[in-house]
Amino acid sequence: MGSGHSALSQSLPCPANPTLSPPATTSTAVSAVAYQSKSNTIPNSYTRRADPIRLHPVKLNKATMSQSSLPASLMSPLKCSKVDRIDAQQGEGIEGKPSFDPHSIDSKLIQKLVYDALVWSSLNGLLVGDRAVQRSGTVPAVGMVHAPFSLLPMPFPESHWNQACELAPIFNELIDRVSLDGKFLQDSLSRTKKVDDFTSRLLDIHSRVLEMNKTEEIRLGLHRSDYMLDTQTKLLLQVEFNTISSSFPGLSCLVSKLHRNLLNHYGSHLGLNFSKVPENTAVYKFAEALAKAWSEYNNSRAVVMVVVQAEERNMYDQHWLSAVLRERYGVSTIRRTLADIDAQGELLPDGTLVINGETVAVVYFRAGYTPADYPSESEWRARLLMEQSSAIKCPSVAYHLAGTKKIQQELSKRDVLERFLDDKDDIDKLRKCFAGLWSLDDPNIVRDAIERPEVYVMKPQREGGGNNIYGDDVRETLLKFHGETTEEDAAYILMQRIFPTVSPAFLIREGVCYKDHAISELGVYSAYLRNKENVIINEKSGYLMRTKISSSNEGGVAAGFAVLDSVYLT
């Protein structure tokens, strides 16, 4: 599974599958390495080693803007030119229905759409910190820029949408039960522990909690399960399940509102209906779950603590959640880094966690998912302190471990789901969405991955993007492991590479619109809250669509920039 960050980790469609013959060519193969979607990462990095499909900036001019009476100085950052047609393949929906074709849109209409979208984003808080401004990650309201987004929603089959939504509460229940099986977690990750320091430290904290005989009676999970539509199998396949720092519940809601707004005004010109964009209530559902958890803690003076990174350009996504908590439920939040918690934290004899004099009811992690968040022993002391406390952790260390790639692979094995779930129909629904997942101690799979590396992805126990291994690098890494006496291979799993649908799209970043072919990944948020045997919440809680440019570089990995998006049901 994963822990809050999902990479758009696969590629353009080509005839490839671990059970099929290898692709005839890798000239269009792409992966998605740099799809950053954790709490501190904004999907707007744009790096290419090759550019086989030229990007075409949509430049705005005064005559075509819908609010041309505004001062020219306000429009100066928006570069201007004609929209050029992409003379490459037209993407089609997974069920064979033609996707919406941007080629048919008049260029002047596009310019109006872009301008109105940028105005709407500015007025409604679809914002991130500008990396060009030094203090944008530490001081609110300094160096704000619109979040990267898609101009129009991405077509997505309604049948697969319904399937993803139906899976949400089943995965919630599965993760909760896995988290309670300490032996399963420790045994499954025992080899990984020997070669992965980060996983080892988490397992050590988990062991300490088990030794204390401490049970988390109130358990809260704010999750996101990420999927892609595979063109080879025509199936909805899970990329990963995120149990920590499932980010963008705030901004994803705004993108859906933006798209509904644009289609409400321009839908008749585009041939699109705004009602086909599902309403997105992720930030409200997450806030409701946090508020109900706070209520279960039963201390009206306690606060919700958001664990954050020292520099947080995605702070506004987090502040949206805090604002809803305050305005709808009267719940106060505080923001602290792990280093802050170590310096200010105190554990009372009854297990109460106190930070600088304030009792903490709920710990909500938007950091702590990557080794970079633990630069010293101070941060690890803070993590242990929170786990030993009576505060409700979102997630607990057990939930965190249940979302690792290795556990995802273990759960895909024969008869393992039956260890945790009783309903055969639920088990069948989960298995249907599992991609191929294998341990590197399977010699047949390793041999096949060396022969056909283009149909596999190697994944370490890491979150935050940019960690996976693709293409020829898979072969080289596996041969390296084979030639050495080492257990380093235990830090990785092999996964079937998913080849998703490609569609033309308009992607907007820093006031400039680019038209290119793109691939998308659907994330379905879910919330789970229980107190002992009483399940208080178990439901789907909104969604996150992310879209990125697809490109190629002689069969290697090439990452485009990624943007926030929404769904248009077909």
Side-chain angles (χ1 to χ4, degrees):
M1 306 264 166
S3 29
H5 174 83
S6 168
L8 257 177
S9 54
Q10 318 297 345
S11 71
L12 298 182
C14 52
N17 186 288
T19 61
L20 303 174
S21 58
T25 174
T26 56
S27 63
T28 57
V30 192
S31 156
V33 233
Y35 202 99
Q36 309 274 340
S37 67
K38 279 288 189 189
S39 63
N40 70 326
T41 334
I42 312 305
N44 67 348
S45 59
Y46 173 39
T47 55
R48 288 195 185 201
R49 290 181 291 171
D51 190 10
I53 302 176
R54 183 178 297 278
L55 294 180
H56 305 290
V58 176
K59 299 182 179 180
L60 306 179
N61 58 66
K62 207 169 172 186
T64 57
M65 292 189 181
S66 58
Q67 300 183 26
S68 57
S69 59
L70 291 174
S73 61
L74 295 182
M75 299 183 281
S76 59
L78 303 172
K79 301 179 181 180
C80 308
S81 82
K82 183 181 178 182
V83 182
D84 293 330
R85 179 185 179 92
I86 303 176
D87 47 359
Q89 66 205 43
Q90 162 75 31
E92 290 194 353
I94 198 77
E95 295 177 337
K97 298 178 181 178
S99 299
F100 174 66
D101 183 7
H103 298 157
S104 63
I105 309 177
D106 178 77
S107 62
K108 291 182 179 180
L109 177 57
I110 294 174
Q111 292 165 1
K112 284 186 178 183
L113 284 164
V114 171
Y115 185 79
D116 284 2
L118 292 172
V119 170
W120 192 98
S121 299
S122 302
L123 296 179
N124 289 274
L126 183 53
L127 302 168
V128 296
D130 185 349
R131 66 173 69 250
V133 179
Q134 186 175 2
R135 296 192 299 155
S136 66
T138 55
V139 182
V142 172
M144 295 185 293
V145 65
H146 74 85
F149 62 88
S150 175
L151 181 62
L152 296 170
M154 182 62 68
F156 197 85
E158 188 167 5
S159 60
H160 289 98
W161 162 262
N162 291 334
Q163 179 190 355
C165 294
E166 185 182 10
L167 288 169
I170 306 173
F171 271 115
N172 281 345
E173 189 66 41
L174 173 64
I175 289 298
D176 185 66
R177 295 187 184 185
V178 170
S179 76
L180 298 176
D181 194 333
K183 186 176 187 304
F184 175 78
L185 290 172
Q186 290 283 335
D187 289 350
S188 297
L189 291 163
S190 59
R191 285 193 69 229
T192 305
K193 180 177 182 177
K194 297 176 183 178
V195 294
D196 188 313
D197 290 339
F198 180 63
T199 303
S200 177
R201 295 297 296 263
L202 292 174
L203 285 167
D204 287 344
I205 291 174
H206 182 245
S207 293
R208 293 277 294 274
V209 173
L210 292 176
E211 289 167 5
M212 292 171 59
N213 236 2
K214 184 177 179 299
T215 56
E216 301 288 338
E217 293 184 341
I218 306 174
R219 300 190 293 279
L220 172 64
L222 297 179
H223 303 143
R224 195 186 70 238
S225 186
D226 295 329
Y227 304 93
M228 280 182 165
L229 290 176
D230 183 55
T231 55
Q232 292 300 304
T233 61
K234 301 195 185 320
L235 295 175
L236 182 79
L237 297 180
Q238 186 185 58
V239 178
E240 63 180 358
F241 191 87
N242 306 292
T243 60
I244 182 170
S245 186
S246 299
S247 62
F248 293 118
L251 298 191
S252 66
C253 289
L254 292 174
V255 175
S256 299
K257 287 182 180 179
L258 167 64
H259 286 161
R260 288 173 66 89
N261 179 279
L262 291 175
L263 297 192
N264 188 42
H265 285 86
Y266 297 104
S268 60
H269 300 285
L270 297 167
L272 298 174
N273 186 340
F274 78 92
S275 66
K276 293 290 188 179
V277 179
E279 291 193 33
N280 196 346
T281 58
V283 71
Y284 303 105
K285 289 293 188 180
F286 270 24
E288 178 187 16
L290 286 164
K292 286 188 175 180
W294 174 86
S295 180
E296 291 295 314
Y297 189 80
N298 199 26
N299 183 338
S300 61
R301 296 188 302 275
V303 299
V304 171
M305 180 171 67
V306 185
V307 182
V308 299
Q309 294 177 331
E311 290 193 25
E312 185 57 273
R313 293 180 54 249
N314 196 23
M315 69 171 76
Y316 305 107
D317 179 60
Q318 300 167 5
H319 283 305
W320 271 111
L321 198 52
S322 295
V324 175
L325 270 173
R326 181 178 64 251
E327 293 167 9
R328 287 199 173 190
Y329 304 99
V331 177
S332 298
T333 60
I334 60 174
R335 295 169 61 83
R336 295 291 188 275
T337 65
L338 288 168
D340 292 336
I341 295 165
D342 181 52
Q344 303 170 14
E346 178 186 2
L347 199 61
L348 301 186
D350 65 354
T352 300
L353 177 63
V354 177
I355 303 293
N356 206 21
E358 295 189 275
T359 298
V360 175
V362 181
V363 178
Y364 172 47
F365 284 90
R366 291 297 291 263
Y369 52 84
T370 174
D373 289 337
Y374 301 84
S376 71
E377 286 301 308
S378 172
E379 288 76 16
W380 285 112
R381 285 195 301 267
R383 186 67 186 265
L384 177 61
L385 181 76
M386 290 183 284
E387 293 297 332
Q388 292 175 325
S389 78
S390 61
I392 301 164
K393 275 76 68 177
C394 181
S396 66
V397 70
Y399 264 51
H400 188 167
L401 291 168
T404 58
K405 306 291 195 307
K406 180 59 181 175
I407 296 300
Q408 180 185 11
Q409 181 257 315
E410 288 291 320
L411 290 172
S412 72
K413 288 182 176 179
R414 185 189 300 272
D415 297 331
V416 176
L417 286 179
E418 285 80 358
R419 176 171 177 170
F420 301 104
L421 298 176
D422 301 317
D423 191 304
K424 185 179 183 302
D425 287 341
D426 286 348
I427 291 171
D428 290 342
K429 288 172 184 176
L430 294 185
R431 284 221 170 94
K432 185 178 178 181
C433 79
F434 284 171
L437 295 157
W438 303 274
S439 167
L440 268 66
D441 59 8
D442 184 331
N444 292 327
I445 288 296
V446 170
R447 187 180 308 112
D448 191 57
I450 290 172
E451 293 174 358
R452 303 188 301 158
E454 67 278 0
V455 299
Y456 292 91
V457 179
M458 280 185 70
K459 293 188 171 186
Q461 310 305 311
R462 289 289 179 271
E463 308 304 331
N467 301 299
N468 297 337
I469 299 173
Y470 304 86
D472 288 340
D473 290 339
V474 170
R475 176 189 291 118
E476 292 175 11
T477 304
L478 291 174
L479 289 173
K480 175 175 175 259
F481 290 160
H482 183 71
E484 298 175 355
T485 306
T486 176
E487 290 191 88
E488 191 178 350
D489 62 340
Y492 295 84
I493 66 165
L494 277 168
M495 181 175 176
Q496 167 192 348
R497 190 165 179 173
I498 304 170
F499 295 92
T501 306
V502 182
S503 300
F506 294 102
L507 314 179
I508 303 177
R509 177 191 177 207
E510 296 178 356
V512 179
C513 181
Y514 300 90
K515 185 167 68 169
D516 210 326
H517 289 112
I519 56 176
S520 295
E521 180 174 307
L522 173 68
V524 175
Y525 294 111
S526 60
Y528 186 86
L529 174 65
R530 74 182 298 157
N531 189 341
K532 299 179 181 176
E533 297 306 311
N534 180 28
V535 178
I536 300 165
I537 298 175
N538 183 15
E539 63 183 9
K540 169 235 174 188
S541 305
Y543 70 97
L544 170 68
M545 193 73 161
R546 290 161 299 170
T547 295
K548 66 155 294 206
I549 286 175
S550 56
S551 56
S552 65
N553 183 34
E554 298 178 356
V557 173
F561 66 81
V563 302
L564 300 172
D565 204 344
S566 66
V567 166
Y568 188 87
L569 296 177
T570 59

